[in-house]
Amino acid sequence: MKVHVKRESDFVAYDVELPDATLLEVLSSIKTEQDNSLAFSSGCRSSVCGSCSMRVNEKEVLACAYKVQDGDVIEPLKNIEVIRDLVVNMDKALETKKRAKTWLQTYNKEAKLTHEDEKINALQSDCILCGSCYSACPVYAVNEEFLGPFALTGVWKYVSDKREAQPKEKIDTIQTNGVWDCTLCNECTLVCPQGISSKADIEKLRMKSTMAGYADPSFTQSFDGGFGFDGSPSF
């Protein structure tokens, strides 16, 4: 069985005889038996930590869960700085969560959660920070400042949490390079190992934004013919 691993600007082919093996097992075998300079990340080996996320045949996967096929093409995540081979620097992706303020800011002490309340954002709490959705998002090709599904799913988690006393502050934060910049292509959902639908979360954030008095800027510009209601250019 042959696999092709992206190393710097070229692909290196490796022959491995490991039937029914995970990608992480194959990479470990290559590093141990063929090329100890190969670099990749791994942690729990149980699809929990998210540190072994990478791309196989142009799709994001967890190396510890993906079963290798002959001819597979293996690359590091996209939209993220590559440190070496398959190892990436997640700082920029994590920075989007900081900009979007994905944490409980103002605690409502009187809020009492029911079991139904807990279910509303239980799935979003399963995010393992693998960065697969960040890598899969095509918007970053044209807008590097986009908050993206990685952060916006986190925003929905707290906007929908009764314990957050000021959810509108989070809605205000995501109007620029945020909910309206998403194309709703659903690529993020397709690669999430936890089954989280960031597309659905962004749609719900758009609804909350509309309720807060915001509107899609592109729709507003189209509606007024490219000019503001006072007659001045709106672009």
Side-chain angles (χ1 to χ4, degrees):
M1 177 173 63
K2 182 172 290 187
V3 297
H4 306 268
V5 182
K6 181 75 174 292
R7 305 197 66 182
E8 296 184 354
S9 59
D10 297 318
F11 285 91
V12 178
Y14 296 98
D15 287 307
V16 183
E17 294 303 324
L18 283 176
D20 197 37
T22 66
L23 176 54
L24 185 55
E25 290 172 331
V26 167
L27 293 174
S28 297
S29 174
I30 293 172
K31 187 174 182 68
T32 301
E33 302 176 10
Q34 298 186 46
D35 188 349
N36 60 13
S37 68
L38 178 63
F40 56 91
S41 298
S42 66
C44 68
R45 300 174 181 267
S46 303
S47 303
V48 174
C49 71
S51 61
C52 67
S53 55
M54 55 190 67
R55 304 178 77 229
V56 178
N57 304 328
E58 301 185 344
K59 181 179 179 180
E60 288 70 19
V61 303
L62 293 181
C64 65
Y66 177 79
K67 291 297 183 71
V68 175
Q69 303 293 319
D70 184 35
D72 279 344
V73 177
I74 304 156
E75 303 174 85
L77 296 179
K78 290 195 307 181
N79 304 320
I80 301 175
E81 176 194 2
V82 177
I83 298 175
R84 180 179 168 186
D85 298 339
L86 303 173
V87 181
V88 297
N89 183 353
M90 288 290 292
D91 287 352
K92 186 176 180 181
L94 293 172
E95 179 66 22
T96 63
K97 286 185 170 288
K98 182 178 180 180
R99 286 195 285 125
K101 300 178 181 179
T102 57
W103 58 82
L104 199 63
Q105 284 181 274
T106 309
Y107 183 62
N108 180 1
K109 297 181 180 179
E110 298 181 0
K112 303 296 182 183
L113 296 186
T114 66
H115 289 305
E116 292 303 314
D117 292 329
E118 294 172 354
K119 293 178 182 178
I120 291 176
N121 49 40
L123 184 58
Q124 288 75 12
S125 300
D126 290 337
C127 175
I128 58 176
L129 306 179
C130 67
S132 292
C133 61
Y134 188 96
S135 172
C137 180
V139 178
Y140 288 113
V142 294
N143 183 5
E144 293 184 354
E145 297 303 313
F146 181 45
L147 288 173
F150 191 53
L152 293 173
T153 276
V155 173
W156 171 250
K157 174 183 175 181
Y158 292 101
V159 166
S160 61
D161 194 323
K162 289 169 60 175
R163 294 170 297 179
E164 174 56 65
Q166 300 294 335
K168 186 178 180 298
E169 289 185 9
K170 296 190 180 299
I171 294 297
D172 294 340
T173 302
I174 61 174
Q175 297 308 305
T176 302
N177 297 317
V179 288
W180 307 112
D181 294 77
C182 175
T183 64
L184 301 179
C185 68
N186 206 40
E187 291 296 323
C188 51
T189 303
L190 296 176
V191 300
C192 178
Q194 299 297 86
I196 299 170
S197 176
S198 292
K199 173 179 177 289
D201 293 341
I202 292 170
E203 288 176 326
K204 287 180 283 192
L205 286 172
R206 286 185 174 186
M207 179 182 67
K208 289 288 187 180
S209 296
T210 302
M211 294 170 63
Y214 291 105
D216 184 344
S218 62
F219 174 78
T220 303
Q221 183 172 326
S222 174
F223 182 78
D224 64 22
F227 289 85
F229 292 108
D230 61 354
S232 61
S234 60
F235 48 85

